[in-house]
Amino acid sequence: SHMVRQDVRSMLGKVVDLELRNITDMFLTTFAEGDFLSTHSDPYSGTIAFALMLTKDWPAEGGGQLEFTCVNCPSFVPEFNTLLMFRTRPVSMPHTVSARLVARREDSTR
């Protein structure tokens, strides 16, 4: 529970109208061209899931969108310094990350 300071947990809890006490899971991913996350839900990973996007200048046509599988749900193009949070309980919404369609600039210069 010390992975995120109490004042940060409190502020995030106000955003989602919940008391956030512990971080139960955390993982970091980076996607190479063609990588994706298949459709899944997070019913055992706590009450809130989050994605912090750290890629600068990501093209909308580049793939890598967070997509929810419900009707009329938005998809989210990675945007630098954006934090997406969504509830995983009481109902966990299935979601996916679409395949990355472009190489990193560093990959193309090698």
Side-chain angles (χ1 to χ4, degrees):
S1 67
H2 297 291
M3 292 174 68
V4 176
R5 294 181 1 190
Q6 177 58 42
D7 57 332
V8 174
R9 284 198 312 268
S10 177
M11 185 258 322
L12 294 173
K14 289 177 183 174
V15 170
V16 294
D17 196 27
L18 290 171
E19 179 186 353
L20 302 179
R21 292 177 288 224
N22 298 312
I23 293 180
T24 58
D25 293 334
M26 184 181 292
F27 72 98
L28 178 67
T29 58
T30 182
F31 291 87
E33 188 173 1
D35 287 350
F36 65 95
L37 285 178
S38 59
T39 302
H40 65 283
S41 57
D42 302 302
Y44 306 109
S45 297
T47 305
I48 299 293
F50 65 90
L52 176 59
M53 302 188 180
L54 299 174
T55 303
K56 291 183 178 180
D57 304 320
W58 189 254
E61 66 279 2
Q65 289 92 350
L66 173 62
E67 301 172 341
F68 291 91
T69 59
C70 55
V71 177
N72 297 324
C73 284
S75 63
F76 298 91
V77 174
E79 185 175 333
F80 179 70
N81 209 24
T82 297
L83 176 67
L84 294 174
M85 297 171 51
F86 55 96
R87 287 181 180 254
T88 57
R89 292 185 187 160
V91 176
S92 184
M93 293 177 48
H95 53 281
T96 185
V97 176
S98 65
R100 181 177 174 167
L101 303 176
V102 296
R104 292 184 307 209
R105 283 177 278 223
E106 300 85 38
D107 292 345
S108 63
T109 59
R110 289 184 184 166

